[in-house]
Amino acid sequence: ATRPRVGKSGWTFTFDDAHSTLRHYAGMEEWIQKDPRMCMMLPVWFPFMERPPAVVWTYRHPLEVAKSMNARDGDSLFPVSRGLTLWLQYTRAGLEASVGLCTVYTSAARVFEGARAEIARIGDELRDVCGFGGGGGRH
C-alpha cells in the first residue's frame, strides 16, 4: 500500500496499518488504547470501528506537560515553548475529533490524587452514560 505522509514529522500510516491493528482486537467487544497522538489520528480509525468509541479526556495543565517533555528530552529537542505548542495542537485536534462522541472528562491531578476512586468513577460513567463496560470483565 502507498504510505501517505501524515504530519510534518514524516511519520507514515496507512489504512492497512489501521486495519491490521484493529484485527488484533477482533472479537473483543471493548478495548482501550491510550496514546496522546491518537488525538491527531482518531478520524482515521472511525471507518474501521464497529461502533463509535467513547473518549476519556484527561486534562493535564499545559505548562506541566511542556516541562515534563523538556525534562525528558532536553532543551534542544523540547524547549518549553515547543511543548506548549504541541499541547495546544493535540488538545485542539482531540476536542475537534471527539465532537459528538460520548466523552468522560477527568484530570491527571484527580487520577494522581486518588487513582482507584477516579478510575471507578470513569468506569461508572463509561457504563452509565456511554453504554460501555457492561460485560463485567476487565479489559
Side-chain angles (χ1 to χ4, degrees):
T2 305
R3 291 195 162 286
R5 186 173 171 164
V6 177
K8 294 180 181 176
S9 69
W11 178 75
T12 59
F13 187 84
T14 67
F15 285 102
D16 290 340
D17 295 330
H19 192 256
S20 174
T21 299
L22 287 176
R23 268 198 317 261
H24 172 76
Y25 296 104
M28 294 182 192
E29 184 176 321
E30 298 163 355
W31 51 277
I32 294 173
Q33 195 279 338
K34 185 263 181 206
D35 186 336
R37 292 165 292 205
M38 186 59 120
C39 295
M40 306 300 253
M41 299 301 300
L42 189 57
V44 172
W45 292 90
F46 290 154
F48 301 99
M49 296 179 177
E50 291 182 18
R51 70 177 190 176
V55 174
V56 177
W57 189 265
T58 305
Y59 172 81
R60 188 172 175 200
H61 193 281
L63 191 54
E64 185 180 332
V65 172
K67 285 182 176 181
S68 175
M69 295 167 98
N70 178 267
R72 183 190 67 205
D73 297 319
D75 278 330
S76 62
L77 186 58
F78 270 104
V80 171
S81 60
R82 181 173 184 212
L84 290 169
T85 299
L86 285 174
W87 180 92
L88 182 60
Q89 289 172 336
Y90 280 47
T91 299
R92 183 176 182 175
L95 290 171
E96 289 173 356
S98 61
V99 168
L101 298 176
C102 189
T103 303
V104 177
Y105 296 93
T106 187
S107 68
R110 286 182 75 168
V111 172
F112 294 143
E113 289 167 6
R116 288 186 182 175
E118 186 60 6
I119 290 169
R121 185 195 68 78
I122 291 167
D124 290 345
E125 202 166 327
L126 285 169
R127 183 191 63 239
D128 298 343
V129 177
C130 301
F132 284 83
R138 291 178 183 243
H139 304 283

